[in-house]
Amino acid sequence: MSNKDQQPLVFLMGPTGAGKSAAAMALAAELPIDIVSVDSAQVYRGLDIGTAKPSAAERAVVPHWLLDLLDPSQAYSAARFRVDATAAIEAIRAKGRIPLLVGGTMLYARALVGGLDDLPSANPALRAQLEAEAQADGWPALHARLADRDPATAARLSPTDSQRIQRALEVVLLTGTPLSTLHGRPKGSDQRGTDHPAHFVSLEPQDRSWLHQRLETRFRDMVAAGLLDEVLDLRARGDLHTDLPAIRSVGYRQVWEHLDGDSDLPTMHERAVAATRQLAKRQLTWLRSNPERTIVPCDAPQATALAVAALREVIG
């Protein structure tokens, strides 16, 4: 389009381990793109191996945005992502380059394109109370409590998904309204999504077992690359813990608990892979809710080339 203000936003999305970074780097060899990360863990400094963060060499070849924004002791949000991503997109276009939004944090993509729901801010006192109840009774008990107040949200959450159970209970207890109902309300002017059209190219497996095996191999490779040492360095600071969003990230929490003595190495590996597969399942569920996406089979022999072709067609 001749008017850069109306150029569509192009997303390369997919479950973790689908090959998004490889496809983005391959496209960068053909088009003047900057990569805008859509990843809730890559925003943290020091979380490199377990987030599959682009290497220094890759960043030297292609500009990457929204990496290493925060210390792991801090919290990030979809609201802040919307602000940061919008600023990055404007800066990239001002240089005459093309922003490509790449990642798997579907909430962030939804916040940018569809806007934010009118939800209450976090309440530290209530969260501490819910944490204490979970310590005493277990997260499945709180999941059952959520099912009484917000059955629609509880139905889509695992009984052990502590972060989302806690947030859903927090919302219903603060507002008296289920999270599932609040998600459907009209958005205020400061919460609406972008005015730009958005196109999604989605890397998805034809065979789920292919992705499962890839995720297991990928985690083994991360451990071999020094993931345990990376977590040891984070622990050595003394100010981090598993209640922080950064340390709750898939893989990091399981390694942290292993280092606490809660599991042996095989059990840690099993838990981390299971959590990663659950994450991939949630990501695929979100992607499949968008019937207009362009699907690229990430388990096809020429998946990277197919993704590049799809992206080129969308970008024009």
Side-chain angles (χ1 to χ4, degrees), residues 163-297:
Q163 185 172 359
R164 290 176 177 82
I165 293 169
Q166 182 189 59
R167 178 55 176 163
L169 277 172
E170 179 185 39
V171 168
V172 74
L173 291 171
L174 287 173
T175 67
T177 304
L179 180 63
S180 54
T181 301
L182 290 173
H183 277 325
R185 286 184 175 177
K187 299 171 177 62
S189 60
D190 62 336
Q191 295 168 311
R192 294 187 188 125
T194 178
D195 292 329
H196 302 290
H199 296 302
F200 288 83
V201 174
S202 179
L203 286 166
E204 301 175 25
Q206 302 167 98
D207 179 0
R208 189 74 65 88
S209 65
W210 175 91
L211 183 60
H212 286 179
Q213 182 58 52
R214 182 177 172 90
L215 293 176
E216 181 168 355
T217 301
R218 189 170 183 246
F219 185 72
R220 289 189 186 279
D221 290 344
M222 287 176 175
V223 171
L227 178 58
L228 269 66
D229 288 336
E230 184 169 88
V231 177
L232 281 169
D233 287 342
L234 293 169
R235 288 168 63 91
R237 290 178 31 160
D239 63 333
L240 303 178
H241 49 82
T242 54
D243 291 335
L244 293 167
I247 309 304
R248 283 179 178 171
S249 299
V250 168
Y252 286 90
R253 180 166 194 154
Q254 290 75 27
V255 173
W256 194 285
E257 291 171 345
H258 161 68
L259 295 172
D260 275 342
D262 291 347
S263 63
D264 57 19
L265 271 171
T267 301
M268 178 271 287
H269 179 93
E270 181 181 338
R271 289 176 179 175
V273 171
T276 309
R277 288 175 178 173
Q278 285 297 315
L279 171 61
K281 181 179 179 181
R282 293 194 299 271
Q283 291 169 319
L284 285 166
T285 297
W286 187 90
L287 288 165
R288 289 166 181 164
S289 70
N290 176 9
E292 298 182 357
R293 71 196 188 284
T294 299
I295 302 172
V296 175

Side-chain angles (χ1 to χ4, degrees), residues 131-152:
E131 286 281 355
E133 292 177 13
Q135 287 288 332
D137 303 326
W139 284 107
L142 269 71
H143 182 266
R145 182 179 171 191
L146 177 63
D148 289 336
R149 303 292 298 269
D150 186 356

Side-chain angles (χ1 to χ4, degrees), residues 47-125:
L47 275 67
D48 301 327
I49 297 171
T51 65
K53 193 177 292 177
S55 66
E58 288 171 323
R59 290 190 240 182
V61 173
V62 183
H64 285 69
W65 298 69
L66 309 192
L67 302 177
D68 299 328
L69 298 182
L70 299 179
D71 184 84
S73 63
Q74 299 172 292
Y76 199 64
S77 68
R80 177 166 171 186
F81 171 81
R82 188 179 66 146
V83 172
D84 290 343
T86 299
I89 290 162
E90 292 174 354
I92 294 165
R93 287 179 169 167
K95 297 190 300 178
R97 292 175 64 83
I98 302 166
L100 178 66
L101 292 110
V102 181
T105 301
M106 308 308 170
L107 175 63
Y108 287 5
R110 184 176 71 185
L112 182 60
V113 175
L116 295 162
D117 295 301
D118 187 13
L119 300 178
S121 300
N123 184 296

Side-chain angles (χ1 to χ4, degrees), residues 17-28:
K20 300 180 291 294
S21 295
M25 293 299 295
L27 181 67

